[in-house]
Amino acid sequence: MMRIPVDLGKDSYDIILLEGALSRASEFADLKRKVLIVTDSGVPPQYYEEVAQFCKEPVTAVIPAGEDSKSMENFEKLCRLMLENGFGRGDCVVAVGGGVPGDLAGFAAATYLRGVGLVQIPTSLLACVDSSVGGKVAVDLPQGKNLVGAFYQPRLVILDPDTLRTLSDQVWRDGLGEVVKYGCIGDEALFTLLEDCASGGREALMEHMDVILHHCLRAKAAVVEQDEHDTGLRMILNFGHTLGHAVETVQGYGG
């Protein structure tokens, strides 16, 4: 097991990186309370069902897969769901899946009762190396991506590399772009490892996934620790995002 700290003073937390971590989630996170599990239709049900079995009072919200689900409408639905089930400040939200449920769940956690606990359990490569760490949570507007959001750090991030084996090739490639990004902006060793694995494709990369994830997560944590609110150094992590966000907006998040 690798435990990667994100040092942000009172908002510090750990990233747990461990094969099989999903089946041991209760060892790391306090789930003996009301827990809103937010996931989407693209996530294998066994992943969020495994988390639910550890919760004292689980409530599961499954949103449609896709960026257009990161909406004000779905944000309101999550808040109403917590209200209807009597969630208090001592309860928590757990995001299981990729960047869309992670961002949506995080924004709901940040704003419901002015903040409840948040645990990120990313199951896509993109969410593992980027969106689950750093506290950027948001929803989209028709005018642009992530225009309504907050900086709200999770209490814990749990990564289980085994979940990456069930990704479609398209979702895998989405995440791999983020991995390459870390190599490009400041990790020659990671970039070299990716080059060495290129001929072996996805299978070769999975053999080194613990190392790859560790490189990316340490890089992300180091940048966030220096610039939590994205006013300087952290902007380097937007490498490729600026153009990508513009394309998504023009396509209405469904292209």
Side-chain angles (χ1 to χ4, degrees), residues 71-110:
S71 64
M72 290 296 292
E73 180 184 7
N74 281 329
F75 160 70
E76 182 178 349
K77 286 180 179 178
L78 295 186
C79 292
R80 288 183 179 275
L81 193 56
M82 285 190 280
L83 185 62
E84 291 165 1
N85 285 276
F87 275 59
R89 285 184 174 170
D91 298 314
C92 77
V93 176
V94 176
V96 181
V100 171
D103 278 9
L104 180 64
F107 187 49

Side-chain angles (χ1 to χ4, degrees), residues 67 70 99 103 125-134 136-138 140 144-147 151 173-185 216 220 223-224 230 233-251 253:
E67 183 68 25
K70 220 171 77 176
D103 278 9
L125 184 53
L126 187 150
C128 283
V129 301
D130 188 65
S131 61
S132 67
V133 177
K136 280 187 177 181
V137 296
D140 303 330
K145 185 168 176 173
N146 298 330
L147 291 181
F151 289 96
R173 287 194 297 269
D174 289 345
L176 193 57
E178 290 294 310
V179 173
V180 173
K181 174 189 80 174
Y182 286 105
C184 289
I185 63 177
C216 295
K220 180 71 180 277
V223 171
V224 171
D230 205 13
L233 177 64
R234 188 167 176 174
M235 293 181 186
I236 198 172
L237 298 179
N238 292 330
F239 181 83
H241 289 203
T242 307
L243 179 61
H245 288 184
V247 170
E248 284 184 294
T249 301
V250 170
Q251 292 182 330
Y253 308 115

Side-chain angles (χ1 to χ4, degrees), residues 27-161:
E27 295 180 28
F28 312 113
D30 176 13
L31 301 175
K32 297 303 181 183
R33 47 183 167 166
K34 290 179 181 175
V35 178
L36 176 64
I37 300 171
V38 183
T39 186
D40 71 33
S41 58
V43 177
Q46 64 263 31
Y47 292 165
Y48 51 87
E49 289 170 357
E50 192 149 28
V51 175
Q53 70 175 336
F54 297 121
C55 303
K56 182 179 180 181
E57 296 183 55
V59 177
T60 301
V62 183
I63 61 174
E67 183 68 25
D68 53 355
S69 282
K70 220 171 77 176
S71 64
M72 290 296 292
E73 180 184 7
N74 281 329
F75 160 70
E76 182 178 349
K77 286 180 179 178
L78 295 186
C79 292
R80 288 183 179 275
L81 193 56
M82 285 190 280
L83 185 62
E84 291 165 1
N85 285 276
F87 275 59
R89 285 184 174 170
D91 298 314
C92 77
V93 176
V94 176
V96 181
V100 171
D103 278 9
L104 180 64
F107 187 49
T111 51
Y112 180 75
L113 299 181
R114 296 188 176 90
V116 297
L118 172 65
V119 176
Q120 293 277 7
I121 305 181
T123 62
S124 74
L125 184 53
L126 187 150
C128 283
V129 301
D130 188 65
S131 61
S132 67
V133 177
K136 280 187 177 181
V137 296
V139 295
D140 303 330
L141 295 179
Q143 295 84 355
K145 185 168 176 173
N146 298 330
L147 291 181
V148 180
F151 289 96
Y152 192 72
Q153 301 297 336
R155 307 286 172 83
L156 182 69
V157 180
I158 302 174
L159 272 72
D160 185 344

